[in-house]
Amino acid sequence: MGFVDYEVKDKIAIITINREKALNALNSQVLDDLSAVLDGVDTDVVRALILTGAGEKSFVAGADIGEMSTLSKAEGSAFAKKGNDLFRRIETFPIPVIAAINGFALGGGCEISMSCDFRICAESAVFGQPEVGLGITPGFGGTQRLARLVGPGMAKQLIYTAKNIKADEALRIGLVNKVVPLEELLPTAEKLANQIAANAPIAVRACKKAINEGLELDMDKAVALEAEIFGTCFETEDQREGMANFLRKKDDPAKVKVVDFKNK
Ligand code: CAA
């Protein structure tokens, strides 16, 4: 589809932003294409997504500067809302989304990666929020998610100076979980996605919901939410099978098996 490729590999799928000539910059069409691809994800089958960029140079080099250059105030707000609605959809997508960052992750590129559940990157990756150098603020959630991820002091430094950082610094400040050579990026992402996909899918989704929604609450409400979500797991076949498997193992180690979770 247009600027976004979608490939299902058994229980995981890879979404690739493919506008390589513009370093995968996000124009309105790319945002619409990404939204349409998300519409088509069959979450009964796919248990984890990987989001990456086409080519070896750039993950996403930001929102499209050409498209933004002539926007009015109202159009600027509408463009930001369009990106924010999509990124919020990624953030709250029922299954985990791993960002596999294969190069530049600037502006909207850093922002879309932060809407994913976690980030791994190539050694060549470069992160930054260059917006103030263009006379604008981050507009796709950067002021909010960067501050939440790396703390307000570091976020303010990165955003106010508009200075890019390399992969090792991104790892040090907690923006990414892991740095690997470029050729190992997708295999590493796929391995992580498959590890997730091997676990009980309803429980994984419930964890995503509990972490995301719990972070917005005070601790009393957050643990109450966790308790409620925990309870819902006991209505699933996967809970019964997962625990029965453990108990069988205790009886007789020969009975150990890999549970084929049913997503039920
Ligand atoms: N928007 C539109 N086009 C872009 C782009 C962007 N964000 N980033 C790169 N491109 C285009 C370039 O215009 C160029 O196109 P042409 O070949 O047609 O000239 C092509 O991609 C290749 O880019 P460069 O020639 O610039 O490649 P380079 O290797 O010299 O530099 C780079 C790479 C440092 C990433 C540089 O392209 C760059 O600085 N890009 C802009 C990064 C940026 O400022 N991003 C933030 C945008 S603002 C934003 O995202 C706001 C928000 O929060 C919503």
Side-chain angles (χ1 to χ4, degrees), residues 21-102:
K21 271 200 269 181
L23 304 185
N24 305 321
L26 303 172
N27 62 14
S28 294
Q29 187 62 53
V30 178
L31 298 176
D32 287 340
D33 290 353
L34 266 168
S35 191
V37 163
L38 291 178
D39 288 340
V41 176
D42 181 354
T43 52
D44 288 336
V45 175
V46 175
R47 297 179 181 184
L49 290 171
I50 294 167
L51 177 70
T52 194
E56 300 200 335
K57 183 169 171 181
S58 182
F59 172 68
V60 170
D64 191 292
I65 298 171
E67 182 174 336
M68 287 187 294
S69 61
T70 57
L71 296 183
S72 66
K73 177 181 170 186
E75 288 165 343
S77 295
F79 187 61
K81 182 173 184 316
K82 188 180 178 73
N84 276 320
D85 287 350
L86 172 67
F87 290 14
R88 191 75 182 120
R89 200 171 160 209
I90 294 170
E91 188 165 50
T92 59
F93 206 67
I95 56 175
V97 186
I98 303 169
I101 297 151
N102 53 304

Side-chain angles (χ1 to χ4, degrees), residues 85-86 104 141 151 179 200 209 217 229 253:
D85 287 350
L86 172 67
F104 292 113
V179 182
K209 186 175 160 69
L217 302 172
I229 290 174

